[in-house]
């Protein structure tokens, strides 16, 4: 029996759904377990009765478990299924199909935001600045996405639907390369790693992350964060690659530092970042909580790199750090995410 506690106690069991891959995965996957433990502790502190549920591709078993538990809320912490980030939205589809309230973005918006080129096309159509991209069509020919023309000679090659800067390192940045060379790099990366890639114009400028959370009156922008590259090797491209995110002993990890302090002359830029973040939220149909990643060019244009539905909320990670800057405790953040799901 769940003890009778205030606040979230009225919901009965609260399922914390997460991907079973986290038990055996890499550092990025294992971070899900840290997130899970922190959310579990906060749900209990808020009076809720947390119940862990690991998910895999056995959706019939997951459905049976949900119907047996009959949760008042599902905390959706699923980031992949069956080892594939592309299947993240399947969990949301299941929760929708069973008719449960769940945290974060719905399945349709999650699918759209996870597909970096589809979201790029949607945002470009809405007038949001995005770097031009190159994908390969069915015949292997390059196709321009998200812009009418290419304006730069530098490119960065990325996975199409994987998270956590997977495979992203210095070799994925191409300097002084034409579109043909970028397309060839996409082919090589896809052949090497066995999943789709694309190329995007590389904006060699300032990097910002803007977190957004649903509130009673609509989405609210949390304090902007900038990643600053401290004493960075000039020969190394300034990117937040896999090492910078997950390899704590690496130079990239130690020298890419999050900051929330800005001089007054940045006020106009920060206002524009907030404005564009809300436009991204609306254009992609995000809900609950999300993060928008930007690069700002030398001429001051904020380009949206991608939108992250249900970003990591591990304490100390970007979203939780922005909430803390806004004056929230971690448990208050979890309460707000839960209440946003119940309002929806």
């Amino acid at each position: 029996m769940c003890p009778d506690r205030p606040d979230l106690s009225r919901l009965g069991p609260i399922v914390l759904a997460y991907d079973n891959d986290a038990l055996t995965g890499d550092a990025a996957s294992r971070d899900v377990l840290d997130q899970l433990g922190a959310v579990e502790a906060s749900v209990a502190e808020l009076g809720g009765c947390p119940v862990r549920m690991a998910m895999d591709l056995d959706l019939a078993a997951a459905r049976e478990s949900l119907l047996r538990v009959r949760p008042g809320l599902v905390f959706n912490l699923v980031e992949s299924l069956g080892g594939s980030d592309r299947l993240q939205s399947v969990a949301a589809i299941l929760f929708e199909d069973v008719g449960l309230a769940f945290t974060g973005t719905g399945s349709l918006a999650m699918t759209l935001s996870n597909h970096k080129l589809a979201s790029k096309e949607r945002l470009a159509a809405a007038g949001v600045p995005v770097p031009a991209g190159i994908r390969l069509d069915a015949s292997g020919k390059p196709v321009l996405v998200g812009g009418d023309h290419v304006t730069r000679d530098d490119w960065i090659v990325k996975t199409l639907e994987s998270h956590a800067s997977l495979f992203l390192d210095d070799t994925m940045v191409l300097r002084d390369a034409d579109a043909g060379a970028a397309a060839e790099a996409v082919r090589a990366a896809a052949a090497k790693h066995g999943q789709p890639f694309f190329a995007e114009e590389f904006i060699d400028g300032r990097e910002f992350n803007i977190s957004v959370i649903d509130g009673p009156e609509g989405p609210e922008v949390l304090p902007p964060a900038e990643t600053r590259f401290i004493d960075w090797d000039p020969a190394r491209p300034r990117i937040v690659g896999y090492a910078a995110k997950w390899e704590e002993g690496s130079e990239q990890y130690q020298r890419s530092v999050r900051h929330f302090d800005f001089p007054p002359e940045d006020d106009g830029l920060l206002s524009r970042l907030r404005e564009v973040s809300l436009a991204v939220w609306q254009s992609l149909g995000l809900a609950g909580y999300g993060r928008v990643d930007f690069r700002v060019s030398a001429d001051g244009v904020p380009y949206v790199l991608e939108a992250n539905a249900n970003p990591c909320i591990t304490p100390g990670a970007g979203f939780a750090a922005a909430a803390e800057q806004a004056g929230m405790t971690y448990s208050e953040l979890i309460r707000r995410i839960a209440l946003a799901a119940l309002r929806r």
Side-chain angles (χ1 to χ4, degrees):
M1 294 291 291
C2 294
D4 185 15
R5 300 169 182 163
D7 205 0
L8 297 186
S9 61
R10 64 184 178 84
L11 298 178
I14 297 176
V15 162
L16 311 182
Y18 64 101
D19 34 299
N20 200 39
D21 307 321
L23 300 175
T24 57
D26 59 8
S29 299
R30 291 192 299 272
D31 185 64
V32 175
L33 297 180
D34 295 334
Q35 180 178 216
L36 173 67
V39 173
E40 183 177 48
S42 288
V43 167
E45 179 183 324
L46 293 165
C49 180
V51 178
R52 293 189 179 196
M53 189 180 87
M55 289 187 63
D56 54 27
L57 290 177
D58 190 346
L59 300 182
R63 174 188 287 272
E64 181 180 342
S65 295
L66 291 168
L67 292 174
R68 182 176 64 254
V69 174
R70 296 187 178 278
L73 175 68
V74 177
F75 237 98
N76 184 12
L77 304 177
V78 175
E79 297 188 2
S80 70
L81 284 177
S84 174
D85 292 349
R86 301 177 70 184
L87 298 179
Q88 179 187 21
S89 59
V90 171
I93 292 172
L94 177 62
F95 305 146
E96 290 166 347
D97 194 57
V98 177
L100 299 172
F102 62 95
T103 61
T105 290
S107 63
L108 184 60
M110 182 175 291
T111 299
L112 177 60
S113 61
N114 279 356
H115 194 288
K116 295 167 188 154
L117 286 181
S119 59
K120 184 187 291 290
E121 289 181 309
R122 171 70 65 89
L123 294 174
V128 174
V130 295
I134 288 180
R135 65 174 176 84
L136 303 180
D137 66 14
S139 66
K141 295 180 179 178
V143 177
L144 190 64
V145 178
D148 296 329
H149 60 280
V150 174
T151 60
R152 290 173 176 79
D153 296 323
D154 297 337
W155 298 86
I156 183 168
V157 178
K158 301 178 177 179
T159 60
L160 185 61
E161 292 181 271
S162 293
H163 308 149
S165 296
L166 187 64
F167 307 128
L168 185 57
D169 60 22
D170 296 356
T171 66
M172 293 298 196
V173 176
L174 311 178
R175 297 289 194 180
D176 298 320
D178 60 17
E184 186 55 41
V186 170
R187 291 189 189 94
K192 179 178 180 179
H193 299 292
Q195 60 175 281
F197 282 72
F198 73 103
E200 176 178 87
E201 289 182 299
F202 179 57
I203 311 298
D204 194 3
R206 297 171 70 181
E207 175 144 342
F208 292 84
N209 310 120
I210 309 298
S211 298
V212 184
I213 188 169
D214 257 334
E217 307 301 323
E220 302 173 10
V221 178
L222 299 178
E226 179 179 7
T227 299
R228 296 177 185 165
F229 301 92
I230 309 300
D231 295 327
W232 202 259
D233 183 349
R236 167 170 283 161
R238 296 189 303 164
I239 59 172
V240 184
Y242 188 88
K245 283 189 176 180
W246 304 111
E247 296 176 7
E248 296 186 12
S250 69
E251 180 181 5
Q252 297 98 309
Y253 184 96
Q254 295 168 4
R255 295 183 184 274
S256 52
V257 182
R258 183 190 306 122
H259 285 268
F260 290 98
D261 56 307
F262 298 96
E265 53 265 33
D266 278 340
D267 288 351
L269 172 60
L270 298 179
S271 178
R272 179 60 177 152
L273 290 171
R274 295 184 185 97
E275 177 186 338
V276 175
S277 295
L278 291 175
V280 170
W281 182 277
Q282 298 295 342
S283 296
L284 299 182
L286 302 180
Y289 61 108
R291 192 188 73 240
V292 184
D293 297 340
F294 290 88
R295 275 287 175 121
V296 178
S297 62
D299 56 355
V301 177
Y303 289 90
V304 174
L305 302 183
E306 59 186 87
N308 295 270
N310 298 15
C312 172
I313 50 175
T314 302
F319 195 94
E324 184 178 6
Q325 284 291 315
M328 293 183 219
T329 65
Y330 187 76
S331 288
E332 173 63 12
L333 170 62
I334 298 306
R335 187 184 75 85
R336 286 197 56 173
I337 290 173
L339 294 181
L342 296 173
R343 282 194 302 270
R344 191 181 67 203

